[in-house]
Amino acid sequence: MADWVTGKVTKVEFWTDSLFSLTVHAPVLPFTAGQFAKLGLEIDGERVQRAYSYVNPPSSPDLEFYLVTVPEGKLSPHLAAMKPGDEIQVVSEAAGFFVLEEVPDCETLWMLATGTALGPYLSILQEGKDLERFKHLVLVHAVRYAADLSYLPLMLELQQRYEGKLRIQTVVSRETIPGSLTGRVPALIDSGALEAAVGLPMNTETSHVMLCGNPQMVRDTQQLLKDTRQMTKHLRRRPGHMTAEHYW
């Protein structure tokens, strides 16, 4: 059984009408960058809980979560209505295998995210551990509108911090924005546009691809990379080129 602890909301930041970040202080156990926790609230006499990835690095005392409000959702509208000082339940022990420890050595580590699934990568990059074994890091954040690029300032800060090792590429599907690619991630890989924009190849010889986000994007991209690049899912017993986590 999961052990729940009581946390306190310290900050709620709205990026758009539906996107927001929740910062919480809670006595959780140490976790690994890329893992997720569960948040819960007592609603109508029952605990409603959902899993959310940590955005903050493990070394930070501020627990940060990047969320989207689902209008008919059981939990997210209540989380969006929270104010600093409100209490929230957090599972003390994080879970998940979307961590660098599970990624094999390679020349280029591609980190592809849609929407709020950017969180695990921000945790990994802010922590900065175990990244020396990669020559290049590529962070791709795909959203519908430019306004949804909530963490772009932090991404650009990280790009500066890594002094040329980290390349940032934004993708916007429903409008054309200077500096961003337009379209869906699988199509941009298929056409070669993503590699051209970043200036690095995505292949079995040099690359490992981490995929996090919309299940359709994850499935389509995995299928495309399998069919056109001969990439395989990475398993402990059979090393491959793709590691994935779905965000529902």
Side-chain angles (χ1 to χ4, degrees):
M1 285 290 288
D3 287 329
W4 290 85
V5 295
T6 300
K8 230 167 213 177
V9 174
T10 58
K11 186 180 178 186
V12 185
E13 182 158 6
F14 277 89
W15 306 103
T16 67
D17 289 346
S18 60
L19 290 169
F20 67 102
S21 294
L22 202 62
T23 305
V24 176
H25 276 183
V28 295
L29 296 170
F31 68 94
T32 302
Q35 288 191 307
F36 61 85
K38 283 183 180 173
L39 300 180
L41 290 175
E42 291 287 332
I43 301 170
D44 297 331
E46 65 167 323
R47 181 190 281 134
V48 180
Q49 61 189 53
R50 295 288 182 272
Y52 298 105
S53 292
Y54 285 113
V55 174
N56 59 289
S59 53
S60 170
D62 294 317
L63 309 179
E64 188 173 349
F65 304 93
Y66 185 29
L67 303 97
V68 61
T69 307
V70 180
E72 286 79 40
K74 276 189 163 187
L75 184 60
S76 61
H78 293 274
L79 294 176
M82 298 195 87
K83 300 284 186 284
D86 288 350
E87 289 190 345
I88 187 169
Q89 299 296 301
V90 187
V91 166
S92 62
E93 189 171 2
F97 298 99
F98 199 69
V99 295
L100 288 182
E101 195 180 300
E102 299 292 329
V103 173
D105 293 352
C106 65
E107 193 171 306
T108 304
L109 179 61
W110 293 80
M111 306 180 193
L112 311 185
T114 56
T116 56
L118 178 68
Y121 300 128
L122 294 179
S123 181
I124 288 167
L125 290 168
Q126 287 183 94
E127 188 68 359
K129 291 180 180 173
D130 198 29
L131 290 168
E132 60 284 341
R133 51 198 185 94
F134 310 107
K135 184 178 177 184
H136 305 292
L137 304 168
V138 181
L139 177 60
V140 177
H141 189 203
V143 297
R144 290 180 298 174
Y145 300 101
D148 301 332
L149 294 167
S150 315
Y151 283 92
L152 186 56
L154 175 57
M155 290 162 65
L156 296 175
E157 265 180 51
L158 287 164
Q159 186 172 240
Q160 280 194 313
R161 175 175 140 190
Y162 282 95
E163 300 175 333
K165 179 171 178 166
L166 172 63
R167 303 182 193 198
I168 300 286
Q169 183 59 56
T170 53
V171 175
V172 180
S173 63
R174 298 192 184 177
E175 56 185 347
T176 304
I177 301 295
S180 289
L181 292 173
T182 306
R184 291 186 69 239
V185 169
L188 294 167
I189 294 173
D190 196 27
S191 69
L194 180 58
E195 289 155 283
V198 170
L200 291 167
M202 186 185 289
N203 56 38
T204 54
E205 291 77 33
T206 64
S207 309
H208 190 89
V209 182
M210 295 180 79
L211 295 153
C212 192
N214 177 285
Q216 195 65 53
M217 181 281 285
V218 172
R219 280 193 295 269
D220 291 351
T221 304
Q222 283 180 319
Q223 193 62 49
L224 174 75
L225 292 175
K226 181 183 171 190
D227 293 344
T228 65
R229 312 291 172 101
Q230 290 70 56
M231 288 184 160
T232 57
K233 283 185 188 178
H234 178 69
L235 303 169
R236 282 180 179 176
R237 65 180 184 277
R238 193 179 71 238
H241 319 95
M242 299 183 285
T243 301
E245 181 146 282
H246 290 209
Y247 257 56
W248 297 95

